[in-house]
Every structure is written in C-alpha cells, then in structure tokens.
Amino acid sequence: MRTPPSESSFVVSMMALHAELDARFFAHQRALLDRDFGGAAAALADYRERLWRHIADEEEHVLPRYEALGGETTDAPVRLFLGEHGNLRKFVDEFTRSTAALAHTADDRALLALLDREAVFKNLLLHHDLRERNALYPFLAERLPAAEQAAVLALRSWAGG
Ligand SMILES: [Fe+2]
Ligand SMILES: [Fe+2]
C-alpha cells in the first residue's frame, strides 16, 4: 500500500525539526520553573535564533515552491503561514523582554504572567505546526520532485548545530 503523503519521510523529517525547536523552548520554560532567569534568557535566545532561521528558510525556500505548485488554491494560502510567522516572532520578542526584566525583579506575578502568555504562544504554535503537518508539507511531498525535496531538506535550519 502507498504511504500517505502525511507519513512520507519528507513530512516526518520536517516535523522532527519542529520537535527539536519545541525541546529548546521547553529548556527555556524549565529554567523559568527553576527561577534560573539567566538560563531561561540564554535558552530563549538559542530558541529564537533557530526559530528565526527556520522561518526564514520556509519563507525564502518552502513557501515560494508551495505557491508555484498551486498552494494558493487550498484552504491554507501562503498569507496564513506568513501571518502566523509574524505573530510567533512578536511573541518571542515579547518573551525576550519579559525574561530580561525577570532577571532584575524575580517577581512572582510577572513570572506567572509570562507563563500565561507562553501558553497562548504554545497554542498558536500548535495550530501552526498542524497546518504545516497536514497541509503544507504533505502537499509538497506529493508534488515536489525528489531532487527539490532533497534541496529543501538540506536547508540550513535542518542542519542543526
Ligand atoms: Fe515549520
Ligand atoms: Fe512555519
């Protein structure tokens, strides 16, 4: 039986990268729980850099291919991904400022407010992940030639490090 596009190795590899990003955000939140605000700031800076790189790769190399192959005619047009990327970036910049402030104040209410905002962010991220898992990457897995899929998989955000 043919493997459904959503279970193709292309999609699985793409989603593994998201799991790697999530693990780095978890490291930030774990440091917050330990009230290690310096560690939380460092982990968030690492996450931010990797998330930015991944978003840039998607916007420069993945979404243009999706658009060229007809992605705009689906329920998940490019502007949805771009809008979500913009919101994700705004949230992470806000968290960077809040975490830096916590390093000075160590205020309980500010810490709880940050965790609440991060819960909103995680919900948005979950929806974004699902849209890419169910729409963007399976669409490309079905239509993008193998050599092009390999080129996408070789982008710098998948290189780790
Ligand atoms: Fe992604
Ligand atoms: Fe994305």
Side-chain angles (χ1 to χ4, degrees), residues 14-15 17-18 21 54 58 85 128 132 136-137 158:
M14 292 299 173
M15 292 303 122
L17 171 73
H18 282 197
L21 285 167
H54 175 55
E58 287 187 332
H85 285 167
H128 185 65
E132 293 191 349
L136 174 63
Y137 287 114
W158 280 269

Side-chain angles (χ1 to χ4, degrees), residues 21 47-56 88 92 121:
L21 285 167
Y47 174 73
R48 182 183 184 280
E49 205 238 305
R50 288 165 192 275
L51 180 66
W52 262 229
R53 208 190 304 160
H54 175 55
I55 286 175
L88 293 172
V92 175
F121 167 78

Side-chain angles (χ1 to χ4, degrees), residues 18-36:
H18 282 197
E20 220 181 273
L21 285 167
D22 289 347
R24 291 171 192 279
F25 193 74
F26 174 73
H28 156 72
Q29 289 202 307
R30 191 173 47 198
L32 285 179
L33 289 181
D34 289 341
R35 304 182 71 86
D36 169 12

Side-chain angles (χ1 to χ4, degrees), residues 133-156:
R133 182 186 301 271
N134 298 329
L136 174 63
Y137 287 114
F139 182 94
L140 289 174
E142 278 202 305
R143 294 167 180 80
L144 202 60
E148 293 263 311
Q149 290 189 20
V152 168
L153 282 169
L155 293 170
R156 55 204 178 119

